[in-house]
Amino acid sequence: MTGTWLPPGEYIKTIAQATSYACLYFTDTAGRPVQLRATRAVETWQWPGGNMDPGESPWECAVRECREETGMAFEGEPRLLGTHFIRHRGEAWPANHIGFIFDGGALTDEQIAAFVLDPAEHTEVQVRSLEEWRAIMAPAGFDRLREIDAARRAGTVSYLER
């Protein structure tokens, strides 16, 4: 350490940069995960969520994205299920990516049927058992689903790194 303090704007340029996302994890009343099929990569299944806007907290982002992507105004309390760290991927994504996954609770069949998907983002909603999800998801996506589901069942918080 040189003993010289940099102004915040200069110091920030010297440390790792990251983008961030937040989402809500839902199940149906039988405990089966609810996921949305992405439009840009039809093999990708996701939870309602997305990248944080400037000045937005992870919780605010999760609630906003849920409303935008499903039409549902979520009114629950913030309960973190996990954080997800994805190391930068070179030119494909030149910054680290950090996610915050919150517990959205259990939804009734009627609540799930009332989802109004944003067609620019998702094409369908499905409810499946973990074993059914395993059969159709990429391993990395399924590992995240399995870990978050386990954290919720155990009442703990999971740290995921990919």
Side-chain angles (χ1 to χ4, degrees), residues 33-113:
V34 176
Q35 295 198 94
L36 310 176
R37 184 189 294 267
T39 56
R40 69 178 187 280
V42 295
E43 72 282 357
T44 301
W45 291 92
Q46 304 172 320
W47 304 314
N51 290 320
M52 288 172 45
D53 288 342
E56 188 174 52
S57 75
W59 177 246
E60 290 167 337
C61 174
V63 171
R64 174 186 54 79
E65 287 282 348
C66 180
R67 185 181 59 255
E68 290 175 3
E69 295 181 358
T70 68
M72 182 176 73
F74 185 75
E75 296 180 359
E77 295 296 318
R79 181 173 156 342
L80 186 67
L81 290 177
T83 57
H84 183 210
F85 176 81
I86 304 167
R87 197 173 311 276
H88 70 87
R89 299 174 297 252
E91 293 296 318
W93 194 271
N96 295 326
H97 197 48
I98 301 169
F100 301 87
I101 302 137
F102 294 97
D103 190 354
L107 301 176
T108 65
D109 292 344
E110 293 78 18
Q111 288 173 304
I112 296 166

